[in-house]
Amino acid sequence: MRVDFVKGSVAHRLRFGGGRGQDLAKAMGLRAGKTPMIIDATAGLGRDSFLLASLGAQVTLIERSEEMHMLLAQGMERAEREGGHFGEIIGRMTLLKGDAQDLIPELYGEAILIDPMHPERKKSALVRQDLRQVRAIVGTDDDAADLVRLAIKHARQRVVLKWPAKADPIEGVQKCTHQIRGKTTRYDVFMTG
């Protein structure tokens, strides 16, 4: 497995993704004249962080899995060496290793993104290969509800939970303020400011 910000789906999304009009950007509060400081509490493959950084946001990525952290660090180094636009984007990304529940209280974040491992699908279709590999590395996020509650306490403006469009809400988390729905993904937005 390899994290690649220069080629493949990430580079394609960078060129043709729709800028601040994308659901993720809207959910995180990026709009004309407004670019919040973002914490990505569950960095994973770093794709969402890279997209948000490409739109001008300063993003702090947190990854608790040693192996995922190493893959992310290597991917960021390769993109930085590529230079140009990629180097600028990586320059707005800071990668931390540790548990987000321990680190968030120490950080400044106007908006916090949480994209935990999604529940197992009820359909027979398999999840994409790269996401199956991530699940094999990081396991399940049984503490997702705790992380969302903690983030709501500490985010200056909002917390965004990225979740499957048709999945039930995470049990033990307050009702979200509003949602932005796509075909397969929804963003549950919890306004805190």
Side-chain angles (χ1 to χ4, degrees):
M1 177 168 209
R2 175 180 162 119
V3 172
D4 192 347
F5 297 114
V6 178
K7 297 180 185 129
S9 63
V10 177
H12 184 269
R13 190 174 173 191
L14 178 63
R15 287 195 305 275
F16 306 109
R20 290 183 179 224
Q22 295 175 74
D23 288 346
L24 173 63
K26 288 191 280 191
M28 296 306 296
L30 277 81
R31 54 187 185 274
K34 185 79 178 118
T35 308
M37 298 275 292
I38 295 172
I39 297 170
D40 182 347
T42 51
L45 293 169
R47 293 174 179 164
D48 290 334
S49 291
F50 186 80
L51 168 72
L52 294 166
S54 77
L55 299 173
Q58 293 289 330
V59 184
T60 300
L61 300 82
I62 302 173
E63 181 51 57
R64 65 182 169 187
S65 159
E66 183 112 13
E67 189 174 346
M68 280 308 306
H69 181 272
M70 180 191 69
L71 291 169
L72 268 170
Q74 291 169 350
M76 289 172 69
E77 285 171 21
R78 281 190 297 275
E80 192 170 33
R81 281 196 307 269
E82 188 75 17
H85 191 51
F86 293 104
E88 290 173 28
I89 294 168
I90 296 299
R92 290 190 285 273
M93 297 168 64
T94 303
L95 176 61
L96 302 177
K97 185 184 174 315
D99 192 313
Q101 292 190 63
D102 297 331
L103 296 173
I104 285 174
E106 308 298 320
L107 299 171
Y108 177 84
E110 293 168 299
I112 299 176
L113 173 63
I114 300 172
D115 182 8
M117 277 287 125
H118 296 171
E120 292 290 340
R121 284 185 170 189
K122 295 174 183 139
K123 294 192 228 175
S124 60
L126 285 174
V127 175
R128 287 190 343 244
Q129 171 75 16
D130 56 350
L131 297 181
R132 290 197 310 269
Q133 290 175 315
V134 171
R135 183 183 291 276
I137 292 170
V138 303
T140 59
D141 286 325
D142 297 329
D143 58 351
D146 296 333
L147 178 56
V148 173
R149 287 192 297 267
L150 177 104
I152 289 170
K153 282 185 199 170
H154 292 279
R156 303 278 196 262
Q157 296 172 358
R158 67 181 68 209
V159 173
V160 176
L161 173 64
K162 183 178 178 182
W163 203 236
K166 295 180 181 174
D168 293 331
I170 294 180
E171 201 170 304
V173 174
Q174 71 189 49
K175 191 175 186 319
C176 62
T177 311
H178 66 278
Q179 294 177 330
I180 296 176
R181 288 181 166 270
K183 289 178 186 167
T184 59
T185 302
R186 75 170 190 257
Y187 298 92
D188 294 347
V189 182
F190 304 86
M191 298 304 294
T192 62

